[in-house]
Amino acid sequence: MTDMIARDIDADWVLCTGCATPVFGKRLHRNARVCPECRLHLPLTAAERIAHLADDGRYDPLPLEVASNDPLRFVDTVPYAKRLAQARERTGLNEAVVCARARIGGSPVVLAAMDFRFLGGSLGSAVGELITLAAETALAERTPLLIVTASGGARMQEGALSLMQMAKTSAALGELDRAGILTITLVADPTFGGVAASFATLTDVIVAEPGARLGFAGRRVIEQTIRQQLPPEFQTAEFLLDRGFIDMIVERSRLRQELGRLLRAGARTVPGPAAPPAPDVPDPVVRDSRLLPEPDPWRHVRQARDLSRPTTRDYLALVFDDFQELHGDRVSGQCPAIVGGIAWLDSGPAMVIGQQKGHDPAELTRNNFGMPRPAGYRKAARLMRLADKLGLPVVTLVDTPGAYPGADAEEQGQAVAIAENLRLMAFLSVPVVTVVIGEGGSGGALALAVANRVLMFSRSVYSVISPEGCAAIVWKDPAAAPDAARALGLNSRDLLRLGVVDGVIPEPEGGTGADPLRAADSLGAALRHSLHELSGLSRAQLGADRRARFRQFGSSVTVEAELLTMSEEAY
């Protein structure tokens, strides 16, 4: 099959290896080697891959002269030196990876594309060196790095020297992390072994083609070891997406567009978030609790839970542009109760993360009624770390009755996941703005709300516990929920008075669900004002401001005093 790649364009007909349908060779070539019948993504050479991704197919190969030798004088049925010579003659390549500079969607990028034809894309010393040199080029030029993987794993003919390339390439990606440079993996089929267990899965964003397989041990090895038959979809991109290990699956025809969107957000050449322009619309936020009407707390609870209220996904469509969702926590799963990704607010990118409920029983069930599991909080943490690395402001939208209280959530470390988020958010060095758009329940809400500015819609609620839970515990009577709602001070007026929130966004007549467009306009204006206000703080001051904001609850320490101390220490 691999030898067929270069000859498809010359062949009259090509037999698809997936559905066994004959496909006209030139049609298959025009379709970027995706079968028009079964949509199987057939392999591309490294050169074809880079040309397909690069704007106008144009790229400049990096002038890197690296080739494998035979350090062990390895011989099996054929000497390793002979295998190398045959691979070079058959492919026209010096090694199993091609490195280049290009533009994708107008953004510059350094690419390293692996070619499975060359000894199965195996990771030898030369491949590891080329991947590392590409990373070092990206570091020197402060340009994002895109790695296209296709490999059977480490190159056995080079022994432990091949194994060392896993650590070497991983360290190179770590340097890009420290420098705040975006890294992306495009997983092509197959990607296994030492490549999967090093640079392929260490990038900021992992994109995969449909059906691409990714894993450490291959199917045959696993089945022989455990003596069990694995499901057909095992280790495929679809299997991995459901389990939180990759961010997205993208058809080959859309790869340039999707990668270009990611690169555009990560192409910042200066550290720190760009200061948004001064808002030209009035600030809709009420900051004096005396200007808010006396509420009916229990009525507010019911209004906050109204299924007609816009959800996180609704606001992503109405307030932001070009939202690109990222999935998974890279540890244990993909939680639909938390949605997150990169979106644009006016001319700047931001990381937007929010809890997602739904508008009908089916959607609520699918999203676990907006109650995140540990995987959801870990996904949020991963996205916030990425925002911090790239200097993107973080916007969180809170709408949850609380973290999921199931046994499986406890087994997976729910308390630890929430605690880790609280600590992480306290030290982020980018602006963080939180808006409670509906129900803010307990630590499950706070795990997304350790922010520089915390706002809420006027009919939202935010509390240590639900009124029903408080009534059952304190009053010993669930029917006392209205009394508990009043006692808990969970309404916007009381929370603004207490300083728990910094401002309240008035809702349209009838609530946000009655006029979602107007609610979205108010939310957008409030976010712009808050981000503009925070743009004058340095990265160090942003973290200090956030920690001081929460330090003052129950204390005489104020935000102003803490920032003054920070300023004095800077001089």
Side-chain angles (χ1 to χ4, degrees):
M1 182 176 68
T2 55
D3 288 339
M4 185 193 306
I5 296 173
R7 295 197 290 268
D8 282 353
I9 190 171
D10 299 320
D12 289 336
W13 295 94
V14 177
L15 194 67
C16 173
T17 57
C19 63
T21 300
V23 183
F24 188 49
K26 290 185 177 178
R27 182 186 182 192
L28 185 62
H29 179 74
R30 287 194 302 270
N31 209 37
R33 290 186 49 78
V34 176
C35 175
E37 300 299 326
C38 69
R39 306 305 299 167
L40 177 67
H41 285 53
L42 296 165
L44 293 174
T45 69
E48 288 172 332
R49 176 70 70 178
I50 296 174
H52 177 71
L53 295 176
D55 293 347
D56 300 321
R58 299 174 61 182
Y59 62 93
D60 297 316
L62 294 181
L64 306 175
E65 297 295 332
V66 179
S68 288
N69 52 30
D70 187 8
L72 303 181
R73 303 289 192 269
F74 191 96
V75 178
D76 48 85
T77 57
V78 177
Y80 177 44
K82 185 174 182 180
R83 290 190 187 279
L84 284 171
Q86 291 172 341
R88 287 167 183 152
E89 181 180 359
R90 185 173 64 253
T91 64
L93 302 175
N94 282 333
E95 256 303 339
V97 62
V98 175
C99 303
R101 294 183 184 89
R103 287 185 173 271
I104 299 178
S107 297
V109 64
V110 173
L111 293 103
M114 304 188 75
D115 197 316
F116 195 79
R117 298 175 305 155
F118 197 106
L119 298 183
S122 52
L123 176 62
S125 297
V127 172
E129 178 68 7
L130 288 165
I131 295 288
T132 301
L133 288 171
E136 290 172 349
T137 300
L139 178 64
E141 299 177 359
R142 299 199 62 82
T143 301
L145 174 68
L146 168 62
I147 305 175
V148 185
T149 61
S151 175
R155 191 170 296 179
M156 292 177 289
Q157 294 89 339
E158 295 186 20
L161 291 176
S162 174
L163 187 66
M164 297 302 104
Q165 305 309 310
M166 296 171 62
K168 172 181 172 177
T169 54
S170 299
L173 284 178
E175 293 288 353
L176 294 176
D177 283 337
R178 290 162 62 92
I181 296 171
L182 176 67
T183 56
I184 305 171
T185 297
L186 170 55
V187 179
D189 186 60
T191 297
F192 282 116
V195 170
S198 58
F199 58 87
T201 51
L202 286 178
T203 54
D204 298 314
V205 181
I206 301 178
V207 181
E209 290 190 323
R213 291 166 295 165
L214 171 71
F216 185 54
R219 169 188 288 270
R220 184 171 56 185
V221 172
I222 297 172
E223 288 183 336
Q224 289 175 351
T225 301
I226 67 175
R227 302 194 181 283
Q228 292 180 10
Q229 187 72 28
L230 298 171
E233 72 279 6
F234 184 72
Q235 293 182 318
T236 64
E238 293 75 13
F239 178 93
L240 296 168
L241 182 68
D242 287 343
R243 287 157 179 79
F245 292 110
I246 64 175
D247 286 282
M248 61 182 80
I249 299 172
V250 181
E251 290 266 350
R252 192 171 288 169
S253 61
R254 294 177 46 245
L255 277 172
R256 185 184 300 166
Q257 174 188 352
E258 294 300 320
L259 291 172
R261 293 168 67 193
L262 288 169
L263 292 168
R264 179 173 170 238
R268 311 192 65 83
T269 57
V270 294
D280 56 3
V281 293
D283 182 4
V285 176
V286 175
R287 303 183 189 277
D288 184 344
S289 63
R290 293 169 297 182
L291 300 178
L292 295 172
E294 190 70 34
D296 179 338
W298 181 239
R299 185 183 179 200
H300 274 203
V301 171
R302 290 178 295 169
Q303 290 172 328
R305 296 170 177 172
D306 189 337
L307 295 185
S308 71
R309 294 179 72 87
T311 65
T312 289
R313 287 194 183 276
D314 294 327
Y315 285 124
L316 282 166
L318 294 171
V319 177
F320 300 90
D321 295 318
D322 201 24
F323 173 63
Q324 192 169 25
E325 185 171 359
L326 303 177
H327 295 82
D329 66 348
R330 302 273 181 95
V331 177
S332 61
Q334 157 56 22
C335 175
I338 288 187
V339 175
I342 299 171
W344 290 72
L345 185 63
D346 298 330
S347 59
M351 188 67 74
V352 186
I353 305 165
Q355 284 128 346
Q356 175 69 18
K357 285 184 176 178
H359 294 296
D360 56 55
E363 190 180 4
L364 286 166
T365 301
R366 187 166 59 248
N367 297 325
N368 204 35
F369 294 85
M371 293 184 292
R373 289 179 163 86
Y377 292 115
R378 293 187 179 115
K379 172 172 65 175
R382 181 174 78 84
L383 298 186
M384 286 188 280
R385 290 189 188 98
L386 177 56
D388 201 44
K389 170 182 172 176
L390 299 179
L392 306 182
V394 173
V395 173
T396 64
L397 304 179
V398 169
D399 188 15
T400 180
Y404 179 61
D408 59 335
E410 293 299 315
E411 291 170 358
Q412 294 163 15
Q414 184 73 287
V416 176
I418 292 172
E420 291 283 357
N421 273 28
L422 302 181
R423 180 173 59 184
L424 169 66
M425 294 190 76
F427 285 88
L428 292 175
S429 57
V430 294
V432 183
V433 179
T434 291
V435 183
V436 183
I437 61 173
E439 190 175 11
S442 190
L446 183 61
L448 291 189
V450 182
N452 297 94
R453 300 293 181 268
V454 180
L455 310 176
M456 67 187 300
F457 275 107
S458 56
R459 298 182 185 181
S460 296
V461 294
Y462 191 13
S463 178
V464 67
I465 191 172
S466 70
E468 294 89 342
C470 180
I473 294 171
V474 178
W475 273 263
K476 306 294 190 296
D477 180 6
D483 296 325
R486 189 173 300 106
L488 284 168
L490 46 65
N491 63 85
S492 58
R493 189 174 190 266
D494 285 345
L495 291 167
L496 183 58
R497 178 179 58 82
L498 294 170
V500 173
V501 300
D502 302 295
V504 174
I505 306 172
E507 298 191 19
E509 187 68 30
T512 57
D515 194 343
L517 292 178
R518 186 176 169 192
D521 287 342
S522 296
L523 175 59
L527 291 174
R528 291 180 183 92
H529 277 271
S530 291
L531 291 173
H532 178 71
E533 182 182 22
L534 294 169
S535 65
L537 299 181
S538 68
R539 290 177 73 97
Q541 287 174 322
L542 285 164
D545 170 82
R546 198 175 312 114
R547 293 188 296 275
R549 184 189 185 281
F550 288 86
R551 174 67 176 84
Q552 68 185 338
F553 293 118
S555 168
S556 59
V557 175
T558 65
V559 174
E560 291 76 11
E562 185 71 11
L563 286 178
L564 180 60
T565 301
M566 281 287 301
S567 299
E568 291 172 348
E569 290 176 353
Y571 292 100

